[in-house]
Amino acid sequence: MTNIIQWNVRGLRANFEELRLLCNQYNPQIVAVQECQLRKDNIINLTGFSGLTKSSPGDNATGGVTLYIHKSVLFSEIQLDTDLQAVAVRVSAKKTLTVCNIYLPPSLDVNFSDLEHLIQQLPAPFVLVGDLNAHSPLWGDVRQDSRGQMIEELLNDYNLCLLNTGEPTYRHHSHHSFSVPDVSICDPSLALEFDWLTHKDLCGSDHFPIILKTSLRDDEPAAEHWKFDRADWMSFRTLCMSRLSDELALSEDPVAQFTNTLIEIANQTIPKSHTSKNKLPKVPWFNDACKQAIKERKKAQRKLFRNPTAENVLAFKQLKAKARHIIKTQKKTSWQNFCSSLTSKTKPKTVWKAIRKIKGKKSTSSLGHLKVNGKLLTDKKQIANLLASTISKNSSSQHYSPKFQAIKKQHEKKPVKFTSDNTEDYNQPFSMLELKQALQKSNDSAVGPDDIHYRLLTNLPESSLTLLLTVFNSIWESGIFPPSWREATIVAIPKPGKDPSDPNNYRPIALTSCLCKTMERMVNNRLMWVLESKGLLAS
């Protein structure tokens, strides 16, 4: 499900860990928070999300909104011409829609024309969520004020639909009354797509988090990954010895036969995980102590709601403070334990990942909508095709400057003085030692289109390695490059500091076959030895 979390967080720094726990529970694609209470141009990065924010006017850390968009979601920011505290994005799910996050402080003098001007800037269909501080029985409040009447008029004039079900979204901390200042509004075409519900816990704020669930599913299947920690390597090797026979090397396409057979064996002996692409990693510090503290806080909250006595108010405040203290303590302890576990054998990737978290460095920006001749492109297939054609053009010789092409053409006309009878050491068939050395230097990198992982190759029995070496030597001696090795999965990475809507501002990462990369490493090792031993490398 495509989930949207809407929440007046009443201080993002104070309740940020509660927000992370909510995200782990509901796996939202959009998170809209109000009253962030951050200073101008400040933003708190949420792991796995891109963030847009608009602070309240002035230097005081009051009000403000932040809109988080999951990295898996294609989106583009809508530049709003308004003084209201609002941000909006255009996102692509099963259909393209606009999501706007807004906060209207109770002291703000809002005119109908201000809201009307905002609505007119939101491309349809749209969803508008936020704390409007507007009260009306239409969405379940016990009273009505002038701002509530204004919102009702806006709904009528623009034929908009209200998603609220009448459940209270706010609890007053002094007189313990409930009201509904948080509103969710959408275009009529989206009215039946969303289920609106409130979270039963205040989670440290005085507003209940609101969950908007929708059936706008992404058509893309969940990503599959090999679960090597649950692999039956004994059965894997047994099947390899019986099914990876020497006859495969004599087939018309030995690489394809070897690949297909190995994948069939792996599917029988190694399970796969079906992880949703917007599934967030578990919070490492959330343990039983945190669970118990939150459970006690919820229990005190329910008791307070049933019987708002001074004793129950005090008990709830104490358990609320206790839960916040335990969460912060466990987070600090988790970090200290991680630092204590670092040794000289710790992978640099693990250390640098932790350092980036300490520095608050943003992760790589997500793929966004593209612009072609000033027109916004939101369809996923069209975006993929445009990126593919742009990368292909930029990577081809046609993209070279005329001066470079002239020099290239001139030097290519010069004959290469090289004669060989192919008896040189570097032309000899590869040995088993070279194959094993190449596999030892392999890392757990991403798989290519054939889904062959290095872990499959490093766990092959001796007989299967001998067959693989025979296949590699057949390619080496015949000079016929396998067609499947010419394919790659291309991942487009936005260039830092560049406009993500320009298709020229993406660099491609090619994920090729691990079989191909293994043979490439063998060839490279041999050539490097020849160049170094003969002193052919320029100093």
Side-chain angles (χ1 to χ4, degrees):
M1 301 290 285
T2 303
N3 292 334
I4 299 176
I5 292 180
Q6 167 191 348
W7 188 24
N8 182 319
V9 73
R10 198 63 181 271
L12 186 54
R13 292 189 187 279
N15 293 312
F16 183 71
E17 304 308 334
E18 297 281 357
L19 179 63
R20 289 184 65 187
L21 295 177
L22 280 173
C23 291
N24 273 268
Q25 180 179 354
Y26 291 102
N27 290 305
Q29 290 185 313
I30 305 289
V31 180
V33 290
Q34 305 88 40
E35 270 204 274
C36 301
Q37 299 179 0
L38 301 175
R39 296 191 181 278
K40 191 173 183 179
D41 300 329
N42 283 359
I43 188 171
I44 299 179
N45 296 322
L46 182 61
T47 304
F49 291 82
S50 300
L52 303 173
T53 187
K54 185 169 184 180
S55 305
S56 61
D59 297 328
N60 295 328
T62 59
V65 294
T66 299
L67 193 62
Y68 293 109
I69 307 95
H70 194 272
K71 297 289 185 179
S72 65
V73 178
L74 291 175
F75 79 97
S76 55
E77 182 181 1
I78 299 175
Q79 299 295 335
L80 297 176
D81 178 22
T82 180
D83 293 329
L84 300 177
Q85 298 175 39
V87 289
V89 293
R90 196 87 168 127
V91 299
S92 294
K94 190 174 182 179
K95 63 172 68 174
T96 303
L97 67 152
T98 302
V99 179
C100 180
N101 181 23
I102 184 172
Y103 173 64
L104 301 179
S107 59
L108 181 66
D109 184 16
V110 184
N111 297 320
F112 182 81
S113 58
D114 296 330
L115 296 174
E116 192 174 35
H117 182 55
L118 175 65
I119 292 294
Q120 291 171 351
Q121 297 180 66
L122 303 178
F126 67 83
V127 180
L128 186 146
V129 299
D131 182 3
L132 305 184
N133 279 296
H135 303 275
S136 169
L138 183 62
W139 46 86
D141 217 320
V142 295
R143 64 188 179 92
Q144 180 154 12
D145 59 8
S146 58
R147 189 178 290 184
Q149 292 176 344
M150 188 187 304
I151 301 301
E152 289 183 16
E153 185 179 350
L154 192 73
L155 294 173
N156 291 329
D157 289 356
Y158 285 88
N159 191 29
L160 302 176
C161 294
L162 192 68
L163 295 174
N164 293 57
T165 61
E167 296 181 58
T169 64
Y170 170 76
R171 175 188 172 275
H172 198 283
H173 65 278
S174 297
H175 45 76
H176 314 297
S177 62
F178 293 90
S179 60
V180 193
D182 305 281
V183 180
S184 306
I185 300 170
C186 72
D187 191 89
S189 62
L190 299 175
L192 299 179
E193 302 283 1
F194 286 96
D195 291 328
W196 190 98
L197 57 97
T198 57
H199 193 64
K200 300 308 178 184
D201 186 15
L202 288 169
C203 299
S205 177
D206 50 7
H207 290 250
F208 292 96
I210 298 169
I211 315 300
L212 279 74
K213 293 186 176 182
T214 177
S215 57
L216 295 174
R217 293 179 180 272
D218 199 326
D219 293 333
E220 296 181 13
E224 292 186 344
H225 303 281
W226 296 109
K227 297 279 290 184
F228 292 116
D229 56 333
R230 295 170 55 190
D232 184 356
W233 291 118
M234 182 72 72
S235 299
F236 173 81
R237 296 185 185 93
T238 302
L239 288 174
C240 285
M241 286 187 287
S242 62
R243 297 181 59 182
L244 290 175
S245 60
D246 294 338
E247 297 177 358
L248 294 179
L250 303 176
S251 62
E252 185 177 347
D253 190 347
V255 171
Q257 289 290 335
F258 184 90
T259 300
N260 294 336
T261 304
L262 186 58
I263 289 295
E264 290 175 3
I265 294 171
N267 285 329
Q268 295 179 33
T269 57
I270 306 172
K272 277 188 172 183
S273 64
H274 301 268
T275 306
S276 173
K277 63 179 181 178
N278 68 316
K279 184 76 172 178
L280 296 173
K282 295 296 183 182
V283 180
W285 45 261
F286 189 72
N287 55 17
D288 292 338
C290 296
K291 290 180 182 179
Q292 184 62 30
I294 292 176
K295 183 179 179 180
E296 291 176 357
R297 184 189 65 193
K298 290 180 178 180
K299 184 178 179 180
Q301 176 182 286
R302 291 193 297 268
K303 188 175 180 180
L304 173 62
F305 288 175
R306 291 193 303 267
N307 188 17
T309 63
E311 182 182 356
N312 289 341
V313 170
L314 180 61
F316 172 66
K317 288 183 177 180
Q318 289 176 340
L319 290 173
K320 177 181 175 181
K322 179 182 176 182
R324 183 171 294 178
H325 173 72
I326 289 177
I327 287 174
K328 288 184 177 180
T329 301
Q330 294 301 325
K331 183 180 178 183
K332 181 179 179 180
T333 303
S334 175
W335 173 246
Q336 290 174 341
N337 292 338
F338 170 77
C339 292
S340 301
S341 66
L342 296 178
T343 65
S344 58
K345 296 182 179 180
T346 304
K347 293 182 179 180
K349 179 180 178 181
T350 304
V351 178
W352 279 111
K353 186 177 180 181
I355 291 174
R356 292 188 185 99
K357 287 184 178 181
I358 298 173
K359 296 174 66 176
K361 185 176 180 180
K362 294 182 180 180
S363 56
T364 306
S365 300
S366 58
L367 184 64
H369 294 157
L370 302 180
K371 284 185 179 179
V372 183
N373 299 324
K375 183 179 179 182
L376 194 66
L377 199 65
T378 61
D379 183 76
K380 291 185 178 182
K381 289 185 178 180
Q382 292 179 358
I383 290 174
N385 290 333
L386 177 60
L387 283 173
S389 60
T390 303
I391 291 172
S392 175
K393 179 182 176 182
N394 293 343
S395 303
S396 67
S397 58
Q398 298 175 358
H399 192 64
Y400 299 153
S401 65
K403 182 179 179 180
F404 179 82
Q405 289 188 24
I407 296 174
K408 177 175 176 288
K409 186 176 181 180
Q410 179 182 355
H411 281 272
E412 286 176 346
K413 289 181 179 179
K414 297 179 180 179
V416 178
K417 297 179 181 180
F418 179 77
T419 56
S420 172
D421 56 4
N422 292 331
T423 60
E424 296 85 0
D425 291 340
Y426 54 79
N427 281 324
Q428 298 304 308
F430 291 102
S431 66
M432 178 61 71
L433 177 62
E434 289 177 290
L435 173 58
K436 289 183 177 180
Q437 287 177 340
L439 290 176
Q440 287 175 355
K441 293 180 181 179
S442 63
N443 299 314
D444 285 343
S445 57
V447 298
D450 58 8
D451 207 22
I452 297 290
H453 196 279
Y454 278 124
R455 294 282 290 276
L456 302 180
L457 302 180
T458 55
N459 280 279
L460 289 173
E462 193 72 20
S463 61
S464 300
L465 286 175
T466 302
L467 173 61
L468 180 59
L469 181 62
T470 302
V471 172
F472 282 170
N473 281 325
S474 174
I475 296 171
W476 183 246
E477 293 171 358
S478 66
I480 300 176
F481 197 78
S484 60
W485 286 3
R486 301 178 188 274
E487 299 178 0
T489 301
I490 305 298
V491 181
I493 306 295
K495 296 179 181 179
K498 299 287 187 177
D499 180 10
S501 65
D502 186 349
N504 290 298
N505 292 335
Y506 288 83
R507 59 185 181 91
I509 301 295
L511 305 180
T512 56
S513 169
C514 290
L515 285 171
C516 177
K517 288 188 287 187
T518 300
M519 186 170 181
E520 285 177 354
R521 192 175 290 111
M522 294 166 65
V523 174
N524 181 68
N525 290 341
R526 181 173 286 190
L527 290 178
M528 288 299 297
W529 181 83
V530 172
L531 293 173
E532 290 177 355
S533 62
K534 296 183 179 297
L536 298 176
L537 288 176
S539 57

